[in-house]
């Protein structure tokens, strides 16, 4: 059996994460451990597993691996147990799901279960990485259907039911990286420029967190969230989250206001409902 990677945290990690996805000093329940209802924003579930040691390395599973060419392609997070803890030790168990060959790129899907001290699964994360220049190895071009984790989530034709705009800070990535993703792509221009980006780009999980916060504020607790990172975001740009409620689901997409381009597509949450005993 796998040993797992441990993540020990308290309110400091929770507050740092909440600030990293745009919580304000006035959002007391997200920034002040003494506030009534102090909580981790739901997408905190992507933090404990992030640096878990995988049973493989990218250069073992795709050709021509170059870390500067790696982008986050998609993310699915399932929250299996509420309330989300604000301290403790969680243990994560990563595994490889599959590798798809997109010709010019390789797509790698991993799945990580994160358990609490009583052995209950708290979070499941499925991460898709998009590795430019590592395709063409004769592999299967398509990923397997994994239900909500791969759903197309096409927005309906009507106007969105809710829209929230939020300007990110030029220092957003400098702050978000302290939640655990120290990839130089998000801070070092010498690194990001080799990957094709003049300015360091924002973490996908940071702008997923910002949009997830908009959905949470608008519609309440959700039991899972899936996104496709359709385009890059530069810290300082403004994000516009457009949301459509469709039964127990909220389909959403996120645009960069300054360019009109999509940053998140094919995205949705499944709502947990107020009486959910998850
Ligand atoms: O969509 C393009 C893009 O630039 N997206 C934005 C990427 C981004 O900004 N990500 C976040 C920042 S990077 C980051 O945060 C890294 C982080 O530090 C570490 C993450 C690692 C976590 C590990 C933890 C364990 C791009 C470049 C991704 C694709 O654009 P194109 O090359 O133009 O692709 P396209 O021609 O449209 O499609 C080719 C095939 O690929 C599929 N595809 C497209 N976008 C995808 C994707 N698959 C997965 N994820 C995506 N985002 C298409 O469907 C197509 O396949 P098919 O022909 O079979 O349909």
């Amino acid at each position: 059996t796998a040993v797992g990677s441990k993540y020990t945290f308290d309110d400091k990690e929770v507050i740092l994460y909440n600030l990293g996805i745009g919580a304000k000093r006035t959002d007391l329940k997200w920034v002040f451990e003494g506030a009534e209802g102090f909580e981790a924003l739901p997408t905190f579930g992507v933090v404990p597993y992030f640096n878990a040691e995988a049973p493989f390395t990218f250069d073992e599973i795709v050709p021509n691996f170059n870390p500067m060419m790696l982008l986050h392609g998609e993310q699915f997070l399932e929250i299996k147990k509420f309330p989300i803890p604000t301290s403790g030790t969680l243990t994560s168990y990563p595994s490889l799901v599959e590798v798809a060959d997109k010709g010019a790129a390789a797509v790698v899907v991993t799945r990580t279960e994160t358990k609490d001290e009583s052995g209950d699964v708290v979070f499941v994360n499925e991460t898709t990485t998009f590795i430019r220049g590592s395709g063409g190895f004769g592999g299967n071009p398509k990923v397997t259907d994994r239900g909500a984790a791969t759903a197309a989530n096409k927005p309906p034709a009507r106007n969105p039911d809710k829209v929230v705009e939020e300007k990110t800070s030029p220092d957003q990535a400098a702050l978000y990286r302290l939640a655990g993703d120290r990839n130089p792509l998000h801070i070092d221009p010498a690194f990001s420029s080799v990957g094709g980006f003049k300015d360091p780009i924002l973490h996908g999980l940071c702008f997923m967190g910002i949009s997830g916060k908009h959905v949470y504020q608008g519609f309440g607790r959700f039991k899972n969230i899936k996104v496709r990172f359709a385009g890059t975001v530069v810290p300082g740009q403004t994000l516009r989250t457009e949301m459509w409620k469709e039964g127990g689901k909220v389909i959403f997409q996120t645009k960069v206001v300054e360019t009109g381009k999509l940053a998140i597509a094919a995205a949705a949450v499944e709502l947990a409902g107020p009486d959910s005993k998850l």
Side-chain angles (χ1 to χ4, degrees):
T1 50
V3 182
S5 295
K6 289 200 190 309
Y7 175 80
T8 297
F9 68 113
D10 62 20
D11 49 35
K12 179 179 165 187
E13 281 73 22
V14 170
I15 293 169
L16 193 54
Y17 175 75
N18 290 344
L19 288 170
I21 60 167
K24 302 286 179 281
R25 71 184 190 285
T26 46
D27 296 322
L28 283 191
K29 65 181 194 300
W30 296 333
V31 298
F32 174 39
E33 67 285 2
E36 191 177 336
F38 174 66
E39 63 175 3
L41 279 155
T43 51
F44 178 75
V46 302
V47 173
Y49 91 101
F50 193 83
N51 290 309
E53 202 179 322
F56 63 88
T57 56
F58 284 115
D59 57 2
E60 287 167 357
I61 58 172
V62 300
N64 310 315
F65 176 65
N66 176 348
M68 294 180 183
M69 301 303 279
L70 181 150
L71 291 169
H72 202 155
E74 297 189 321
Q75 184 73 16
F76 176 69
L77 161 69
E78 185 148 23
I79 302 159
K80 301 287 251 187
K81 193 177 176 183
F82 284 104
I84 294 169
T86 54
S87 66
T89 295
L90 300 173
T91 309
S92 292
Y93 302 87
S95 58
L96 179 62
V97 176
E98 61 188 328
V99 183
D101 185 349
K102 298 294 183 187
V107 160
V108 178
V109 183
T110 62
R111 181 175 195 279
T112 306
E113 289 196 350
T114 299
K115 297 182 177 180
D116 64 14
E117 280 144 300
S118 60
D120 292 340
V121 177
V122 183
F123 305 122
V124 176
N125 279 280
E126 294 184 13
T127 303
T128 300
T129 45
F130 190 96
I131 309 170
R132 295 167 293 162
S134 286
F137 53 87
N140 188 340
K142 295 287 179 193
V143 296
T144 312
D145 182 343
R146 289 172 284 117
T150 49
N153 299 321
K154 199 173 160 349
R158 67 177 191 278
N159 286 334
D161 301 321
K162 253 189 186 87
V163 175
V164 177
E165 283 193 9
E166 178 169 342
K167 190 180 183 325
T168 62
S169 157
D171 306 315
Q172 201 78 49
L175 178 62
Y176 183 82
R177 61 195 296 275
L178 299 180
D181 181 354
R182 302 282 186 107
N183 187 343
L185 178 64
H186 310 297
I187 192 78
D188 180 2
F191 185 102
S192 69
S193 65
V194 178
F197 307 106
K198 185 168 70 65
D199 298 309
I201 59 172
L202 192 58
H203 302 74
L205 292 180
C206 178
F207 56 96
M208 177 183 106
I210 292 171
S211 287
K213 183 183 64 175
H214 298 160
V215 176
Y216 180 55
Q217 286 174 306
F219 299 94
R221 203 155 84 169
F222 49 81
K223 55 187 175 186
N224 61 44
I225 177 168
K226 179 257 171 170
V227 299
R228 169 173 281 206
F229 300 115
T232 54
V233 176
V234 180
Q237 287 180 323
T238 308
L239 298 172
R240 174 185 166 94
T241 309
E242 301 174 338
M243 300 165 256
W244 293 262
K245 186 163 187 302
E246 292 280 287
K249 226 169 141 171
V250 177
I251 293 176
F252 67 98
Q253 64 182 22
T254 305
K255 285 180 180 156
V256 174
V257 171
E258 289 79 3
T259 62
K261 289 186 183 161
L262 277 174
I264 290 178
V269 308
E270 288 183 303
L271 297 169
D275 304 324
S276 162
K277 292 275 194 304
L278 270 173

